Amino acid sequence: MLSNNDVVLRNIAEDLRNRLPINAMLNSEHLAIQKILQQPEPTVHVDAFLYDDDSIDSLCEKGKMSRNYCVVCGSHKTAPLEFISHSFSVMELKFIYQYVLPDLTGKILVDVGSRLGAVLFGGYLYSSASQLYGVEMNADFCQLQEMILAKYQFMNRVKVLCSDIRTQASLLQNADVVVMNNVFEYFLDRLEQARAWEFITHNVKKKGSLLVTVPSLEESISSLQTDILLSQWVEEMKLDYDVYMEKDIDREALEQIHLYKIL
């Protein structure tokens, strides 16, 4: 059975789908588009918040999307396309708010690179966080988020800052939870990524505060030249992926989610 909150999220996803191309990427995202094209395997962006598996199947049946690509042009030999998403799916949002994070009553959550606002909308519906802040550099995405906040009257607890996270030191310093989903890799060059991670480690310092990341911190910074010593900054908290009992669980997607406590 879908809860009222699930239905609201589905309605929000539909509103956003109607205002975006199928790949949910904007022409203003030059670097992200370029990086997806440079992936070793043919890769397409499919926004997991907007399109669940049923939606993808439906689009494939209509010929608007494909799960495969042609290995040799003109032949029938195909291979699966790699899908990447810059948003959490509804399943992942529910897992994060209902199982990964503790009760957020009175707490401040910051989503770094809030994009379409999925983390913010999920936090409004599935948590009692007192304030949810999204920080997003792309003005087009900020506008879309603001439209949803106004339409669904979420503005009492949600605020979107159209800004580079590196200008938001005090916001990060006061946050109880910081969420980072595929946040820098596709949107900044390697030097800028390293600088952004250094900024995060210098400002997400509140003892006992929590950091939710996809992928793991190790994976995000291992190929970058930084002075970050993870063992002196965070402790990874073990997650129980078996607690999520709903049907259509994507175990592989859940296992990409990592939780850290700030030391």
Side-chain angles (χ1 to χ4, degrees), residues 33-85:
I33 292 167
Q34 189 183 333
K35 287 200 174 192
I36 286 174
L37 292 173
Q38 289 168 351
Q39 294 299 301
E41 298 295 328
T43 300
V44 290
H45 181 261
V46 178
D47 192 281
F49 178 62
L50 301 185
Y51 298 102
D52 59 16
D53 276 345
D54 291 343
S55 307
I56 293 169
D57 289 341
S58 171
L59 286 168
C60 289
E61 283 167 18
K62 292 174 184 170
K64 293 182 177 179
M65 191 183 280
S66 177
R67 290 183 181 273
N68 300 294
Y69 70 97
C70 184
V71 178
V72 181
C73 281
S75 80
H76 292 290
K77 190 175 180 187
T78 62
L81 279 164
E82 291 289 323
F83 282 3
I84 182 166
S85 173

Side-chain angles (χ1 to χ4, degrees), residues 102-225:
D103 178 11
L104 298 182
T105 303
K107 304 294 186 186
I108 294 170
L109 180 143
V110 175
D111 182 24
V112 180
S114 54
R115 199 169 178 86
L116 297 178
V119 168
L120 307 177
F121 312 144
Y124 188 94
L125 295 166
Y126 297 128
S127 87
S128 50
S130 64
Q131 284 295 314
L132 298 137
Y133 290 95
V135 182
E136 173 55 55
M137 285 199 302
N138 187 299
D140 298 323
F141 284 132
C142 291
Q143 206 173 349
L144 281 172
Q145 292 175 82
E146 294 284 4
M147 176 205 75
I148 297 294
L149 296 184
K151 178 174 178 178
Y152 290 87
Q153 300 182 331
F154 288 171
M155 296 173 96
N156 58 323
R157 288 169 52 212
V158 183
K159 187 168 185 186
V160 175
L161 305 172
C162 200
S163 168
D164 185 321
I165 192 62
R166 290 169 289 184
T167 66
Q168 299 295 327
S170 65
L171 184 67
L172 288 174
Q173 289 160 16
N174 289 308
D176 300 293
V177 178
V178 176
V179 179
M180 304 177 73
N181 179 14
N182 270 332
V183 70
F184 299 134
E185 184 188 351
Y186 288 86
F187 306 100
L188 300 173
D189 65 40
R190 292 170 63 78
L191 181 61
E192 291 296 303
Q193 285 179 57
R195 287 178 178 158
W197 278 112
E198 297 271 9
F199 184 85
I200 294 290
T201 57
H202 290 150
N203 289 287
V204 180
K205 298 290 272 186
K206 187 195 273 193
K207 192 176 167 66
S209 61
L210 299 171
L211 187 57
V212 178
T213 73
V214 171
S216 68
L217 289 175
E218 290 82 357
E219 190 176 329
S220 292
I221 66 173
S222 60
S223 63
L224 302 174
Q225 288 191 308

